[in-house]
Amino acid sequence: MGRQRNSRLEAVMAEHGFTHQGLADEINRITARIFGENHPRKCTDHHVRRWISGEVRWP
């Protein structure tokens, strides 16, 4: 199955004023609150760009 741009994610980000890095930071903030500050996985703007481009369909 080919890539399909995630226009819904783009629209939600625009609606709420998130940049790629801003969304990654918010994801990291919430992840730290849920799983603790020492949670080994960190979201980056690169992850968000891959989600939007359709390269990755599931985070």
Side-chain angles (χ1 to χ4, degrees), residues 16-39:
H16 294 280
F18 280 111
T19 62
H20 296 138
Q21 187 61 54
L23 180 58
D25 291 342
E26 185 67 8
I27 289 168
N28 289 330
R29 185 186 68 75
I30 292 168
T31 301
R33 190 176 71 204
I34 294 170
F35 299 108
E37 290 292 333
N38 295 324
H39 190 269

Side-chain angles (χ1 to χ4, degrees), residues 1-4 57:
M1 184 181 216
R3 287 186 190 184
Q4 184 175 358
R57 294 178 50 103

